[in-house]
Amino acid sequence: MEDTIILYPSPVMGHLVPMVELGKLILTYNPSFSIIILITTTPFDTGSISSYIKHVTVATPSVHFHHLSTISPPSTTSSDNIATLAFELPQLYNSNLHHALQTMISQKSRPKASIIDLICNSSFEVFTSLDIPTYYFCTSSASSLSALLSLPKTHQILLEKNKDPNTSIEFPGVPPIPTPDLPGPFLDTEGIAYKSLFGTAINMVKSAGILTNTCHAFEARAVKAISNGLCTPNLPTPPVNYYIGPIVANSSEDHEHECLRWLDSQPSRSVVFLCFGSMGLFKAEQLTEMEIGLEKSGHGFLWVVRSPPADGETKSILAEPDLDVLLPNGFLDRTRGRGLVVKKWAPQVAVLSYDSVGGFVTHCGWNSILEAVSAGVPMVAWPLYAEQRFNRVLLVEEMKVALALEESESWFVSADELEKRVRELMDSVSGEGVRERVRAMRDCAKAARGDGGLSRVVLAELVESWKDG
């Protein structure tokens, strides 16, 4: 019978895509494995999940998707509170998960290993109760992992300092994090998300190991702090940490988009790319400021625009934006040639690989960060939600591959501020320092993933251990 590896991601694009790419990588080391990715259905919009899964199924038939039987969404949680729902759903799916795993075991054989997303912590006991070796996959940074593993020791500090926005929290190997920049769940210690993450920190030290989508060169201090046990002084150090990144999606299928033909016509390093992840939305007033700032900057730009949210909701993610309404007063005509606005989506990995792209205004999602660094593109950091404000501190203070935008108290960015940061990134001496730093990290990423590179060796050894297990 074939040997199976079970992957259990959170069903949002920022978590699903790296888990799928991990599955593909595992197959490059052992094509005889069967990769099964478990999919749960959510009551909230997760972007183009269905079309993505169909694409992967056609392109990589050896990666199999198994949809767990659908459950009724919880009635006690607002469907607009996506963060809470994302952590709540895995618990509700546990019964269906247990049944699916038992069926797989009876039909085939016991899986060699399972790899679960941090958000799916509630499934840990389901997998281990069936004697399936279980690993965690941290789709974010080693610095985020340091903060997570430190929760049991920093819990009391969080209780005290969360009340004071003028303080900061120190995690081992991580720059001081201002309290307002903590990951969202850390700010509500009574919330479902925080309690789930606290449980994750406890379970991680009992797991078979932790895989993290980063490499030593990106975050040497955090990696060292974790391995030295500084994050878990009252708990065992996690048994094995596998730093296997950067894992970045392949862009080979994305070269038909109109924006790529436009990028071909632009001068080297002349274009600023603005894109804000699968869930990033701005109100109409903010879009107006962005329009003014981009025009005044004088630089070329490629800007992905979505319809503004209605009443703070995310239902407009898939809505077709009306650019004439959102960007009036002749902006599109005046910037025609040096700027291009595309609706809803652009092939980000492919865009960042183009020589004409010289900067990236990003929401600071970890996947986007890895894609930019791997392509050697410096960033302007504009975080929106989740752990992105935490990532901004890491990008600016630790990795030094981005400039930070200054925001108002309501997280609003003015046109003048956007213009200033774009000019600084593209033209200034300080911008040149960021550009040099990101090019050096690009070379580190290539070395880590190349023949004999540490990330490649670590993953190969892990796959080999499953084959022999």
Side-chain angles (χ1 to χ4, degrees):
M1 288 189 175
E2 61 186 5
D3 292 330
T4 302
I5 307 296
I6 302 288
L7 308 184
Y8 191 24
S10 175
V12 294
M13 290 297 281
H15 290 251
L16 176 61
V17 172
M19 189 72 90
V20 170
E21 293 301 318
L22 172 59
K24 293 178 183 178
L25 275 176
I26 291 170
L27 289 173
T28 65
Y29 296 111
N30 191 335
S32 66
F33 278 156
S34 174
I35 302 293
I36 297 178
I37 299 177
L38 303 178
I39 299 295
T40 54
T41 302
T42 70
F44 53 85
D45 188 359
T46 55
S48 305
I49 294 293
S50 297
S51 60
Y52 172 74
I53 289 174
K54 289 178 182 177
H55 171 76
V56 174
T57 300
V58 172
T60 314
S62 48
V63 173
H64 308 281
F65 293 91
H66 179 88
H67 292 260
L68 296 176
S69 299
T70 304
I71 62 167
S72 299
S75 58
T76 56
T77 305
S78 167
S79 61
D80 291 335
N81 192 344
I82 292 177
T84 297
L85 268 173
F87 285 94
E88 195 172 17
L89 282 171
Q91 175 69 45
L92 299 174
Y93 265 101
N94 271 351
S95 177
N96 294 353
L97 170 65
H98 190 271
H99 176 74
L101 293 174
Q102 284 185 315
T103 301
M104 290 178 193
I105 290 171
S106 64
Q107 292 178 347
K108 298 179 180 180
S109 62
R110 194 172 306 280
K112 288 287 188 177
S114 63
I115 304 174
I116 65 175
D117 193 285
L118 301 184
I119 293 178
C120 299
N121 174 62
S122 58
S123 69
F124 179 76
E125 293 183 2
V126 177
F127 283 100
T128 55
S129 71
L130 295 172
D131 295 324
I132 301 172
T134 303
Y135 299 76
Y136 282 88
F137 183 32
C138 178
T139 57
S140 193
S141 62
S143 298
S144 294
L145 179 59
S146 170
L148 173 60
L149 290 170
S150 299
L151 280 185
K153 82 166 187 174
T154 58
H155 176 70
Q156 191 60 40
I157 297 173
L158 285 172
L159 289 177
E160 296 168 0
K161 290 193 173 183
N162 273 351
K163 302 170 186 176
D164 185 355
N166 297 315
T167 62
S168 61
I169 308 288
E170 294 192 20
F171 302 103
V174 181
I177 305 296
T179 301
D181 290 342
L182 289 169
F186 286 34
L187 298 173
D188 179 12
T189 54
E190 294 300 318
I192 291 172
Y194 178 84
K195 291 177 180 178
S196 177
L197 289 175
F198 193 98
T200 302
I202 300 297
N203 282 340
M204 276 184 159
V205 302
K206 300 183 288 186
S207 70
I210 306 168
L211 290 73
T212 305
N213 193 8
T214 192
C215 64
H216 287 73
F218 287 3
E219 306 175 82
R221 290 202 309 130
V223 168
K224 184 177 180 180
I226 294 168
S227 64
N228 288 346
L230 300 183
C231 305
T232 51
N234 300 317
L235 293 168
T237 300
V240 182
N241 284 304
Y242 302 93
Y243 300 100
I244 58 172
I247 297 174
V248 173
N250 192 324
S251 66
S252 60
E253 296 92 6
D254 293 330
H255 286 284
E256 298 301 320
H257 196 281
E258 60 165 331
C259 71
L260 302 180
R261 294 191 292 273
W262 180 81
L263 285 173
D264 275 330
S265 68
Q266 302 302 307
S268 176
R269 303 300 174 193
S270 66
V271 174
V272 177
F273 178 44
L274 298 91
C275 191
F276 299 90
S278 59
M279 306 286 284
L281 298 172
F282 293 101
K283 293 182 178 180
E285 296 84 354
Q286 183 63 84
L287 292 175
T288 298
E289 291 294 305
M290 296 166 76
E291 164 195 341
I292 296 169
L294 287 173
E295 184 171 0
K296 291 173 62 179
S297 76
H299 281 281
F301 61 86
L302 172 60
W303 182 16
V304 179
V305 172
R306 292 199 180 99
S307 296
D311 301 322
E313 297 180 352
T314 59
K315 295 177 182 177
S316 58
I317 289 175
L318 299 180
E320 186 77 8
D322 187 335
L323 297 183
D324 291 327
V325 172
L326 294 175
L327 308 172
N329 305 319
F331 168 76
L332 295 174
D333 289 333
R334 290 194 304 275
T335 58
R336 195 178 308 278
R338 76 169 174 91
L340 179 67
V341 178
V342 299
K343 299 178 181 181
K344 299 194 314 185
W345 179 86
Q348 182 167 290
V349 176
V351 167
L352 291 170
S353 70
Y354 269 64
D355 177 69
S356 54
V357 175
F360 181 27
V361 182
T362 174
H363 66 307
C364 303
W366 188 245
N367 291 328
S368 293
I369 291 169
L370 293 182
E371 289 163 8
V373 172
S374 296
V377 178
M379 287 163 275
V380 172
W382 190 340
L384 300 179
Y385 53 87
E387 83 288 359
Q388 293 164 11
R389 305 188 70 82
F390 180 101
N391 288 345
R392 177 176 63 181
V393 177
L394 176 63
L395 277 179
V396 175
E397 303 295 335
E398 186 76 4
M399 297 174 71
K400 300 184 184 346
V401 293
L403 302 174
L405 282 167
E406 292 185 11
E407 306 155 304
S408 69
E409 291 183 2
S410 59
W411 313 128
F412 194 78
V413 173
S414 70
D416 287 344
E417 174 63 14
L418 179 58
E419 175 196 359
K420 177 181 177 182
R421 294 305 170 201
V422 167
R423 288 180 178 273
E424 182 181 1
L425 185 71
M426 302 293 280
D427 299 331
S428 72
V429 173
S430 58
E432 177 57 28
V434 172
R435 296 193 295 273
E436 288 181 358
R437 176 71 173 166
V438 79
R439 287 194 293 267
M441 285 209 164
R442 174 197 60 195
D443 295 341
C444 290
K446 289 181 179 178
R449 295 187 312 239
D451 289 341
L454 190 55
S455 294
R456 183 166 180 172
V457 169
V458 164
L459 184 56
E461 290 176 349
L462 177 60
V463 174
E464 187 69 19
S465 73
W466 294 335
K467 185 174 66 175
D468 296 337

